[in-house]
């Protein structure tokens, strides 16, 4: 402690270091203190336990026993190991205990040897080693200290405490901890002494009690309850926590065992047989299971003897005999279930690993009751369960040592159970040895992609007993006429199933296998185990497919008969094969037969591999017969020549002899191998799909065919090339009224041939007469492509198309048949109706001229022909004697074009008149549209035939998609809608008949827009409309249409009503063009439109009220048109409108009050119209307004209250009839920048409140009736004021001194008022930015200040018609930017200085009407642009006009009062006082 206190005591040490050291000391002392307190509590507990020893002898004995056990654990006492290994050296040789020990050790060694051997053989065991870094070190729990220690540690944590205070607190804590530590050490020593004394006193007592207990236990006079939860069932109170724990555990055990047992009974997978070592392991596992089954033995003894029931009843309040019996019965049932399940799992295991896993799982479930009891005893399941478990362990009762058989009844019953288990095990062994669990018959199906001859071995295999000690079986093929094969298990190095032909001896089957399972199966006795394996040839190539299935006993005769397809078939095989007409048939570099007959030798059918051989109907002399025959798995098609080798050819084999071909096939077949031999590449042309026993019909009917290919290990045998299917499928060619009838209403005759109808041909009438140029109504339907197109003009091919098919036309029965297509029903065709009316007047014509030929007018022809006569939809001869109105509907190709209608053979013996109409559709159809109409009249004495062109018909899909948006009256009308339809019709010819209706409607609308507007540029094309130059799209729909006439050519048409179809439009801006006509009401359909602009066009009419439907509209720009009428009130519904510009139109009427609802409107531009009436008060509610321009109208009345328009910066209302005083509400517009109220009838003075308009830049109020003086505030409150226009009013007074502050003033117009006073130099000196200064026609007096020369930017100055006097200041001539100077009609005196020549830019100069004297300076000639020059009148000049001046004036054709003197050269004389006339000031 002293050392700790001395730490940091050095005065030279830094304060921080001392503080850190002291904090470390406190932490260390706190840990020591906490450790001492834990030791104290432990010692105090020991003392308390020791003091209880003398209370009760029994309790003392239990406590001593516990201490004794503790000593054993601490290795203070040691005993022999509790296992049978102690029997080996503690018992006598050949005694019962020694035999028990040796037997147990042998079983253990045997089981482990089996495990190890199985691991080495299977090579599949894996060992889980856990974490490679070993067990993780558990994270140490955080330190915890008592409250006083924790407080000490927290001392000094306040950062605001100074360092000295923290040091003092820490030193105090160290001292306090030191004192506590010394006190605790003293207390510890006292407690240790007390414990030693108690232990010494109790040692003798402990030994005595242990000796008594051990003696009694050894003599088996004492017993205890079982340490499992079944004791909870009868020792606890009902509904208590322990009782629920017991019932829950029992339920789990029973449920798990029930699941095990149910799964075992359902799967029924007892292995066919097992290895000898596995069987030994099973026997040992059954014995271990019985030995470990304590629940059965314990419950049997409890139920038979009921030992200690009285003692148990005394110790446990909840105990009853009934619950005691129930608990033990449940324990017995659970033990029996566990035993049964264990034995089942053991005998179901076919290898050591399964045996180990299954046995371990069941034993875990069996021991679950003991495990839960252990958890309860160690307080994992609550205090009540722990207490009850402890009481159950401590409960002892005397054993009832019965004598005789009754004392061993529980042993006898258990022995019977063991014997029953082994009897069941013996039965299983017997079943396995007799192979009763193996399938007797299996069926194999081999793939033939790698080795085609494997298909011969497909069939049934029967089990044969094995010939070696392993008791394994083989399977041999039973259908030896198909093949001879065997399945054998190889248990040597291979340890898997193999397949080989029977010709290979069984002992060699493993060394020379044809096929081998790729999966090693060291425990397999059942061939079906390998059904899912990959089987490979001895070369290592896997076969295409392999299937194994068990054949049930009742299906053996059917599946495994000696004939193909199983048992003998009752039905006759098909003798004739015909190629299905929907398939092309065999095709390569030669023509193949489409019909094959069964081969007959001596009048009898012959078979190859139990299947018939078929011979083709065609025979090539070089190739010989075409043959189709079976090879065991597939059907093959080839020619006779393909089977021949060079030896056969030299032997002179007849390629046309069926008998020789049969002999050749049989000679080439090896009966032992069942393998086709000596076949050259190219022998087979086509190969069928594989067949198996299930789908083998005995013929190739219904099979798919493939081209052949050669390659692989057997180059002489072809393979089916699955990548090259042949378009072939065979049907049976012999008819049968029930099973195989003749097609298409053909009649099956007795000899199996067909009497065909409706033009069909073929063995079964299967060949349809499609596309022969003759319409057969029976086949005129969709599935037959409407008789191959023979019934319609545009699809029929051939010279006979439509010839003679018309017997009636235009309501007449024809005298002779005509040409046409009355049966056309193809829905792809469209109707075209001819409505015609003809008249004939023989008597009228007879009065003119007799027929010189003497002929008669019996008939005339009506003909519709297309493409120069290549297609003739109609040609009929009509009788002129039967005039009437009639119609005839033709069915022609969609978009029929290049056609004409002709009237031929009209004779001159009569006056003939015919009118007709062509209708796109039916005459009675409301949608039928007139395509063309004409009238033909014969008024001469000659034959008059005529022909009329038929326009191209609109596409059906086009009419369908546009039927709801295009008025059919516009079809074929020549209007812009018709032109748009024609354009799209041509596009469809190129294959663009889209099914997207909305897309096509949008496209039509754009094309119609283009045709109507008269565009000089063809901006539509075949590309998607979103790629057109004037279009912007979003989500594949046009949203923007623009056109600037100045840059892309001016439009001179109209705005199409189809604009309303472009419902996705958001911006429509077509400006600076020559569009005429009205704005269509369909604009109201563009509900997504945000910008509507048709400015600078020539539109007429009114603004449609439907614009009120454009709820999304933000800008309405229709300025510079010829629009009339009033502004529709519906505009007030456009709540999103931000700008209206309707200027430069002819709009009339008042402003609608509904405009007040446009609270988002910022710009209202209506100037240059004819609007009248007063301004509505609601305009003051448009709070977003920033710009209002209503100039050039007839608006009247006062300006309403605008105080709420706080954002307004521009208010222009000049050239109206507005009256009243200037509104004071304008004062509330802090952002007002431009104010123009000129050319109205405002009166009164300028309000003083306007002094608050500090942002004002322009103030224009000229040409009103304003009175009063110029406000002083204009010079103080408006420093930004740049333009002040107050001329042509009635203002009085002088210019205020505050005007000297107008340094930014660029234009000041005060002319035509009643202003007086002098022009003050100090005021004029402040106008440094002045550009134009208008002071004329007032009553100013005094001189013109010389400060005028400071206005260097001024280019215009007028001060005429005032009372100014004195000399003109010389400084004025330095303002060289001036182009106009008006000083006439004042009282200026003196001469004109020569400096006047500095005004080089002057154009207008008027100094007349003054008192000037002297000569006119010649420097005036330096003004090259002078065009107005007045100087003589009212002045007193002398001398002559300088010639230089006269030359400039003459050259500029100037207007001047000196021109006469220039012409005459006379001297200047007196001039009249009147001026020539005032010049209109510049605007």
């Amino acid at each position: 402690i002293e050392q700790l206190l001395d730490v940091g005591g050095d005065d030279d040490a830094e304060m921080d270091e001392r503080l850190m050291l002291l904090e470390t000391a406190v932490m260390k002392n706190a840990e020591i203190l906490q450790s001492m307190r834990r030791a104290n509590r432990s010692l105090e507990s020991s003392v308390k336990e020791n003091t209880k020893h003398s209370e009760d002898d029994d309790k003392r004995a239990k406590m001593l026993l516990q201490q004794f056990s503790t000593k054993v654990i601490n290795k203070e006492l040691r005993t022999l190991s509790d296992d049978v290994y102690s029997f080996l050296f503690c018992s006598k040789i050949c005694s019962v205990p020694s035999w028990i020990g040796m037997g147990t050790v042998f079983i253990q060694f045997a089981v482990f040897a089996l495990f190890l051997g199985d691991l080495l053989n299977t090579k599949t065991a894996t060992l889980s080693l856990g974490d490679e870094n070993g067990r993780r070190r558990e994270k140490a729990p955080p330190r915890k200290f008592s409250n006083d220690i924790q407080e000490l540690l927290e001392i000094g944590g306040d950062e605001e405490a100074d360092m000295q205070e923290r040091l003092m607190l820490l030193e105090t804590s160290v001292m306090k901890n030191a004192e506590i530590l010394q006190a605790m050490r003293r207390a510890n020593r006292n407690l240790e002494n007390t414990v030693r004394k108690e232990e010494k006193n109790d040692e003798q007592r402990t030994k005595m009690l242990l000796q008594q207990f051990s003696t009694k236990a050894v003599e088996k006079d004492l017993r205890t309850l079982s340490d499992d939860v079944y004791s909870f069932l009868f020792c606890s109170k009902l509904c208590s926590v322990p009782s629920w724990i017991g019932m829950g555990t029992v339920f789990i055990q029973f449920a798990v065992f029930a699941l095990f047992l149910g799964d075992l009974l359902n799967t029924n997978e007892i292995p066919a047989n097992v290895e000898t070592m596995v069987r030994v392991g099973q026997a040992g596992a059954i014995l271990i299971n019985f030995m470990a089954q304590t629940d059965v033995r314990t419950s049997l003894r409890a139920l038979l003897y009921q030992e200690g029931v009285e003692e148990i009843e005394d110790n446990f309040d909840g105990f009853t005999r009934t619950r005691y019996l129930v608990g033990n019965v449940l324990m017995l049932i659970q033990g029996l279930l566990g035993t049964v399940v264990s034995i089942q799992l053991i005998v179901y295991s076919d290898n050591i690993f399964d045996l180990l896993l299954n046995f371990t799982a069941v034993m875990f479930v069996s021991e679950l009751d003991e495990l839960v009891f252990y958890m309860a005893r160690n307080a994992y399941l609550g205090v009540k369960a722990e207490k009850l478990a402890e009481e159950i362990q401590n409960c002892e009762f005397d054993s009832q040592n019965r004598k005789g058989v009754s004392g061993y009844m529980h042993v006898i019953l258990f022995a019977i159970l063991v014997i029953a288990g082994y009897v069941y095990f013996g039965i299983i062994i017997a079943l396995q040895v007799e192979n009763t669990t193996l399938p007797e018959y299996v069926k194999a199906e081999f793939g033939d992609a790698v080795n085609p001859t494997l298909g011969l071995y497909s069939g049934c295999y029967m089990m044969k007993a094995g010939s070696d000690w392993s008791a394994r079986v083989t399977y041999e093929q039973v259908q030896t006429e198909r093949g001879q094969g065997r399945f054998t298990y190889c248990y040597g190095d291979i340890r898997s199933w193999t397949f080989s032909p029977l010709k290979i001896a069984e002992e060699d089957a493993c060394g020379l296998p044809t096929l081998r399972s790729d999966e090693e199966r060291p425990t397999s006795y059942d061939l079906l185990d390998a059904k899912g394996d990959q089987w490979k040839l001895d070369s290592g190539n896997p076969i295409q497919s392999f299937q194994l299935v068990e054949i049930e006993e009742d299906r053996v005769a059917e599946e495994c008969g000696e004939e193909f397809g199983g048992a003998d078939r009752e039905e006759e095989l098909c003798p004739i094969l015909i190629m299905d007409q929907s398939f092309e048939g065999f095709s390569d570099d030669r023509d193949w037969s489409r019909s094959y007959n069964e081969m007959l030798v001596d009048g009898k059918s012959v078979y190859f591999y139990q299947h018939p051989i078929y011979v083709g109907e065609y025979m090539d002399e070089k190739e010989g017969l075409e043959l189709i025959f079976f090879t065991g798995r597939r059907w093959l098609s080839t020619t006779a020549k393909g089977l021949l080798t060079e030896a056969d050819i030299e032997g002179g084999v007849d390629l046309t002899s069926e008998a020789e071909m049969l002999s050749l096939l049989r000679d080439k077949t090896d009966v032992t191998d069942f393998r086709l031999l000596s076949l050259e590449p190219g022998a087979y042309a086509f190969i069928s799909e594989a067949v198996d026993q299930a789908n083998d019909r005995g013929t190739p009917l219904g099979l798919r065919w493939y081209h052949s290919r050669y390659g692989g290990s057997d180059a002489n045998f072809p393979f089916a090339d699955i990548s090259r299917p042949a378009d072939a499928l065979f049907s049976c060619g012999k008819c049968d009224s029930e099973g195989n009838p003749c097609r298409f209403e053909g009649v099956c005759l007795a000899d199996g041939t067909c009497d065909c109808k409706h033009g069909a041909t073929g063995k079964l009438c299967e060949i349809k007469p499609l596309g022969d140029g003759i319409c057969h109504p029976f086949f005129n339907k969709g599935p037959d492509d409407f008789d191959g197109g023979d019934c319609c003009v545009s699809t029929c091919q051939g010279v006979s198309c439509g010839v003679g098919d018309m017997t009636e036309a235009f309501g007449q029965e024809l005298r002779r048949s005509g040409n046409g297509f009355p049966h056309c029903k193809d829905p792809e065709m469209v109707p075209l109706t001819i409505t015609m009316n003809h008249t004939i007047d023989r008597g009228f014509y007879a009065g003119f001229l007799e027929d010189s030929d003497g002929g008669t007018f019996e008939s005339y022809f009506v003909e519709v022909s297309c493409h120069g006569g290549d297609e003739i939809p109609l040609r009929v001869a009509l009788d002129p004697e039967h005039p009437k109105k009639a119609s005839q509907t033709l069915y022609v190709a969609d978009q029929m074009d290049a056609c004409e209608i002709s009237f031929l053979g009209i004779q001159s013996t009569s006056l003939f008149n015919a009118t007709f109409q062509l209708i796109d559709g039916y005459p009675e159809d409301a949608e039928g549209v007139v395509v063309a109409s004409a009238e033909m009249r014969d008024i001469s004495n000659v034959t008059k035939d005529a022909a009329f062109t038929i326009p191209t018909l609109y596409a059906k899909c086009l009419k369908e998609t546009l039927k709801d948006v295009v008025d059919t009256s516009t079809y074929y009308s020549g209007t812009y809608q018709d032109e748009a339809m024609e354009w799209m019709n041509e596009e469809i010819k190129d294959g663009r008949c889209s099914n997207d209706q909305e897309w096509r409607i949008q496209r039509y609308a754009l094309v119609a827009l283009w045709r109507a507007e008269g565009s000089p540029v063809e901006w539509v094309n075949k590309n998607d409309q979103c790629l057109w130059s004037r279009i912007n799209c979003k989500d594949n729909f046009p949203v923007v249409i623009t056109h600037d006439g100045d840059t892309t050519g001016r439009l001179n048409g109209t705005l199409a009503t189809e604009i309303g179809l472009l419902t996705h439009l958001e911006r429509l801006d077509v400006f600076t063009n020559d569009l005429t006509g009205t704005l269509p009401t369909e604009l109201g359909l563009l509900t997504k439109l945000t910008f509507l602009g048709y400015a600078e066009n020539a539109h007429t009419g009114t603004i449609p009220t439907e614009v009120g439907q454009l709820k999304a509209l933000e800008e309405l720009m229709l300025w510079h048109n010829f629009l009339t009428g009033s502004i529709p009130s519906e505009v007030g519904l456009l709540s999103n409108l931000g700008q209206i510009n309707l200027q430069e139109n002819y709009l009339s009427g008042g402003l609608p009050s509904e405009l007040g609802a446009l609270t988002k409107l910022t710009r209202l531009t209506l100037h240059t119209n004819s609007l009248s009436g007063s301004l509505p008060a609601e305009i003051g509610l448009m709070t977003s307004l920033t710009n209002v321009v209503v100039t050039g109208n007839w608006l009247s009345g006062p300006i309403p209250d605008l105080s709420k328009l706080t954002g307004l910066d521009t208010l222009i209302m000049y050239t109206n009839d507005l009256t009243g005083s200037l509104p004071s509400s304008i004062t509330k517009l802090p952002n007002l920048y431009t104010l123009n109220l000129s050319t109205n009838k405002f009166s009164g003075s300028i309000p003083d409140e306007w002094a608050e308009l500090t942002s004002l830049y322009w103030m224009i109020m000229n040409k009103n009736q304003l009175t009063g003086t110029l406000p002083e505030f204009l010079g103080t409150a408006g420093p930004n004021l740049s333009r002040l226009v107050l001329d042509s009013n009635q203002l009085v007074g002088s210019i205020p001194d505050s005007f000297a502050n107008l340094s930014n003033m660029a234009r000041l117009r005060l002319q035509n008022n009643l202003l007086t006073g002098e022009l003050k130099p100090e005021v004029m000196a402040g106008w440094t930015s002045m550009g134009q200064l208008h002071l004329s026609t007032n009553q100013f007096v005094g001189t013109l200040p010389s400060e005028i020369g400071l206005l260097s930017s001024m280019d215009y100055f007028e001060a005429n018609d005032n009372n100014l006097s004195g000399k003109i200041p010389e400084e004025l001539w330095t303002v060289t930017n001036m182009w106009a100077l008006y000083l006439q009609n004042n009282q200026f005196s003196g001469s004109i200085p020569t400096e006047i020549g500095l005004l080089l830019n002057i154009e207008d100069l008027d100094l007349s009407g003054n008192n000037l004297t002297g000569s006119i300076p010649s420097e005036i000639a330096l003004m090259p642009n002078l065009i107005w020059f007045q100087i003589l009148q009212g002045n007193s000049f002398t001398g002559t006009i300088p010639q230089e001046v006269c030359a400039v004036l003459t050259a500029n054709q100037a207007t001047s009062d000196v021109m006469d003197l220039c012409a005459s050269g006379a001297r200047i004389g007196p001039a009249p006082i009147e001026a020539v006339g005032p010049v209109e000031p510049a605007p």
Side-chain angles (χ1 to χ4, degrees), residues 364-650:
F364 172 77
V365 178
S366 298
E367 298 296 329
L368 184 62
D369 51 342
E370 285 88 352
L371 177 61
V372 174
F373 184 87
Y374 171 79
M375 294 174 64
R377 179 66 184 84
N378 289 275
Y380 290 108
L381 302 178
V383 177
K384 292 183 179 180
E386 178 190 14
K387 183 178 180 182
L388 180 60
E390 182 181 1
E391 292 174 355
I392 289 173
Q393 282 187 330
N394 295 332
C395 179
E396 300 172 351
F397 50 86
D398 293 333
S399 172
Q400 299 179 10
N401 294 323
R402 298 173 181 255
K403 304 298 183 180
V405 177
S406 62
Y408 292 95
M409 185 57 67
H410 66 289
V411 178
I412 295 171
L413 292 176
F414 187 75
I416 293 173
L417 179 63
V418 174
I419 294 170
Y422 276 101
V423 169
Y424 174 71
F425 180 55
I427 294 172
I428 296 299
I429 294 175
L431 293 175
Q432 291 173 335
V433 171
E434 293 298 325
N435 296 322
T436 55
T437 58
L438 292 174
E440 185 175 1
Y441 286 90
V442 296
K443 186 176 181 181
E445 290 290 342
F446 291 91
D448 63 346
V450 177
N451 189 338
T453 58
L454 285 176
L456 301 174
Y457 296 101
S458 296
C460 295
Y461 289 76
M462 184 174 67
M463 180 180 66
K464 301 290 183 181
S467 60
D468 57 83
W469 64 271
S470 68
R472 295 187 183 274
V473 299
T474 62
Y475 284 87
E476 294 183 2
Q477 193 170 5
V478 297
Q479 293 170 312
T480 56
E481 293 299 321
R482 292 178 57 84
Q484 298 177 0
R486 179 198 301 116
F487 288 97
T488 307
Y489 180 82
C490 298
Y491 50 83
D493 295 335
I494 300 177
R495 300 180 69 82
S496 63
W497 286 93
T498 62
F499 174 81
S500 58
L502 283 176
K503 69 176 183 178
I504 298 176
E506 183 177 354
E507 59 270 16
D508 297 329
C510 294
L512 299 171
T514 301
L515 291 175
R516 176 182 301 168
S517 170
D518 194 40
E519 183 74 21
E520 291 191 7
R521 296 187 175 276
T523 63
S524 175
Y525 280 78
D526 190 349
L527 176 59
L528 294 180
D529 291 342
K531 64 183 179 180
D533 296 348
Q534 174 68 65
W535 287 70
K536 295 183 177 180
L537 296 168
D538 54 355
S539 63
N541 294 325
I543 63 175
Q544 179 189 25
S545 64
F546 176 70
Q547 297 180 2
L548 276 173
V549 293
E550 181 181 0
I551 302 177
E552 301 295 336
E553 184 177 358
D554 57 347
R555 294 184 58 83
V556 171
E558 179 181 354
E559 297 285 346
C560 302
E562 291 300 320
E563 301 296 329
F564 56 86
D568 294 340
R569 293 178 179 267
E570 296 180 359
E571 66 272 14
E572 178 186 2
L573 293 177
C574 178
I576 303 174
L577 302 179
I578 60 173
M579 190 65 65
D580 193 299
Q581 288 303 305
S582 59
F583 292 81
E584 181 181 354
F586 296 144
S587 61
D588 51 16
D589 55 354
R590 65 183 299 273
D591 294 331
W592 289 77
S593 300
R594 296 189 65 87
S595 176
Y596 293 79
N597 295 315
E598 186 179 12
M599 178 183 285
L600 300 176
V601 177
D602 297 331
K604 296 181 179 180
S605 299
V606 294
Y607 294 90
F608 186 66
Y609 289 127
Q610 305 177 32
H611 290 67
I613 303 173
Y614 293 94
V615 182
E617 61 181 339
Y618 301 139
M619 180 176 63
D620 186 277
E621 293 183 359
K622 294 182 179 180
E623 296 291 335
L625 298 175
E626 291 182 17
L627 301 175
I628 296 178
F629 53 90
F630 188 65
T631 64
R633 182 71 168 172
R634 298 177 187 264
W635 290 81
L636 308 178
S637 173
T638 186
T639 63
K641 183 179 179 180
L643 298 175
L644 300 182
T645 63
E646 293 183 1
D648 297 326
I649 295 174
E650 293 175 357

Side-chain angles (χ1 to χ4, degrees), residues 731-752:
S731 301
C732 185
K734 183 179 180 180
C735 70
D736 178 2
S737 298
E738 296 181 358
N740 192 29
C742 300
R743 310 294 190 265
F744 314 125
E745 299 183 350
V747 178
C748 184
L749 304 179
D751 60 354

Side-chain angles (χ1 to χ4, degrees), residues 90 116 525 861 965 1178 1219 1232 1252 1381:
C90 291
L116 187 60
Y525 280 78
F861 289 90
V965 298
E1178 289 78 4
T1219 59
L1232 194 61
E1252 300 179 16
L1381 176 62

Side-chain angles (χ1 to χ4, degrees), residues 40-81:
N40 255 358
R41 285 196 295 270
S42 178
L43 289 171
E44 288 172 358
S45 298
S46 299
V47 171
K48 290 179 182 178
E49 290 179 3
N50 291 336
T51 57
K52 295 179 181 178
H53 290 173
S54 59
E55 294 179 359
D56 186 84
D57 289 341
D58 292 336
K59 292 183 179 180
R60 189 184 301 274
K62 294 178 181 178
M63 185 272 295
L64 292 173
L65 283 172
Q66 185 174 4
Q67 291 181 351
F68 175 77
S69 300
T70 304
K71 288 184 177 182
V72 172
I73 293 172
N74 294 332
K75 300 183 179 180
E76 297 175 6
L77 296 177
R78 292 191 55 79
T79 63
L80 293 174
S81 60

Side-chain angles (χ1 to χ4, degrees), residues 1205-1479:
L1205 310 185
T1206 55
L1208 193 67
D1209 60 38
T1210 301
L1211 180 61
I1212 301 177
M1213 296 183 173
Y1214 68 88
T1215 315
N1216 281 285
D1217 288 331
L1218 298 175
T1219 59
S1221 58
L1222 296 177
S1224 59
S1225 62
I1226 291 179
T1227 307
K1228 305 298 183 181
L1229 309 180
N1231 297 312
L1232 194 61
Y1233 185 84
T1234 301
L1235 176 62
N1236 191 336
L1237 303 179
S1238 67
T1239 318
N1240 281 287
K1241 298 179 180 179
F1242 291 111
S1243 59
S1245 61
I1246 299 174
D1248 292 336
E1249 294 84 353
W1250 284 18
E1252 300 179 16
L1253 300 177
T1254 56
S1255 298
L1256 203 60
Y1257 189 74
W1258 282 13
M1259 179 186 290
I1260 303 174
M1261 293 182 293
N1262 58 307
K1263 297 184 180 180
N1264 279 285
Q1265 300 174 10
L1266 300 178
T1267 59
T1269 61
L1270 291 174
E1272 188 77 24
F1273 70 81
L1274 289 177
T1276 57
N1280 297 321
L1281 199 61
S1282 173
R1283 182 173 297 187
L1284 180 61
V1285 181
L1286 298 175
D1287 63 275
S1288 303
N1289 282 288
Q1290 300 175 19
L1291 299 175
V1292 297
S1294 62
I1295 297 176
D1297 294 343
S1298 62
F1299 273 39
N1301 299 320
L1302 299 178
S1303 59
N1304 293 319
M1305 183 64 67
R1307 183 175 297 182
L1308 179 62
R1309 293 181 55 168
L1310 301 176
Q1311 74 268 25
N1312 297 324
N1313 278 288
L1314 301 175
L1315 298 175
T1316 59
E1318 294 183 357
L1319 298 178
K1320 299 177 182 179
E1322 61 274 16
V1323 173
M1324 187 170 288
W1327 298 344
T1328 55
S1329 299
M1330 188 67 69
Q1332 294 187 11
L1333 180 60
H1334 302 257
L1335 302 176
S1336 63
T1337 318
N1338 280 287
Q1339 299 176 15
F1340 291 115
V1341 296
T1343 61
L1344 184 63
S1346 61
E1347 285 73 9
I1348 190 72
L1350 299 176
L1351 310 185
S1352 59
S1353 299
M1354 187 168 61
D1355 59 12
Y1356 185 99
F1357 178 52
E1358 65 174 49
N1360 54 287
D1361 296 291
N1362 281 286
N1363 293 317
L1364 298 175
S1365 59
K1367 289 185 177 182
I1368 297 175
E1370 295 180 357
E1371 290 78 5
L1372 178 61
W1373 315 123
T1374 63
V1375 184
T1376 58
N1377 287 325
M1378 279 195 298
W1379 62 270
L1381 176 62
Y1382 300 101
L1383 297 178
Q1384 70 271 20
N1385 301 328
N1386 278 287
Q1387 299 178 21
F1388 290 113
S1389 59
S1391 61
I1392 299 176
T1394 58
E1395 287 79 6
I1396 193 172
L1398 298 176
L1399 302 180
L1400 300 178
N1401 295 313
I1402 203 74
E1403 296 179 12
D1404 293 355
L1405 177 61
D1406 195 339
L1407 301 178
S1408 62
N1410 284 288
N1411 297 319
L1412 298 176
T1413 59
S1415 62
I1416 296 176
S1418 60
E1419 285 75 9
I1420 293 177
L1422 300 177
M1423 304 175 181
N1425 301 318
L1426 191 63
I1427 58 175
W1428 177 274
F1429 181 54
Q1430 304 294 331
I1431 194 171
L1432 297 179
Q1433 287 80 6
N1435 290 302
S1436 301
F1437 293 109
T1438 60
T1440 60
I1441 306 297
Q1443 291 301 315
E1444 302 94 315
V1445 175
C1446 292
V1448 170
L1449 295 175
T1450 302
N1452 294 336
Q1453 297 181 353
T1455 301
S1456 176
D1457 55 2
V1458 302
M1459 295 306 294
D1460 292 340
L1461 294 178
C1462 286
S1464 62
R1467 295 181 65 83
I1468 301 174
I1473 297 177
E1474 296 80 16
V1476 173
V1479 177

Side-chain angles (χ1 to χ4, degrees), residues 308-368:
V309 173
E310 292 80 3
E311 290 90 335
I312 300 172
E313 189 172 10
D314 293 339
N315 290 336
F316 299 98
D317 295 338
F319 178 85
T320 64
R321 290 179 179 269
T322 301
R323 292 174 59 196
Y324 178 79
L325 295 175
V326 170
N328 282 283
V329 168
L330 291 175
M331 185 190 302
L332 177 61
I333 295 173
Q334 180 268 132
L336 293 174
L337 272 176
T339 302
V340 172
V341 171
S342 297
I343 294 175
Q344 284 291 97
L345 289 174
I346 289 169
V347 300
Y348 275 39
S349 302
D350 62 355
N351 59 75
I352 296 299
F353 273 113
D354 289 346
L355 181 63
L356 173 62
L357 294 176
N358 295 337
F359 181 74
T360 303
V362 175
M363 292 305 297
F364 172 77
V365 178
S366 298
E367 298 296 329
L368 184 62

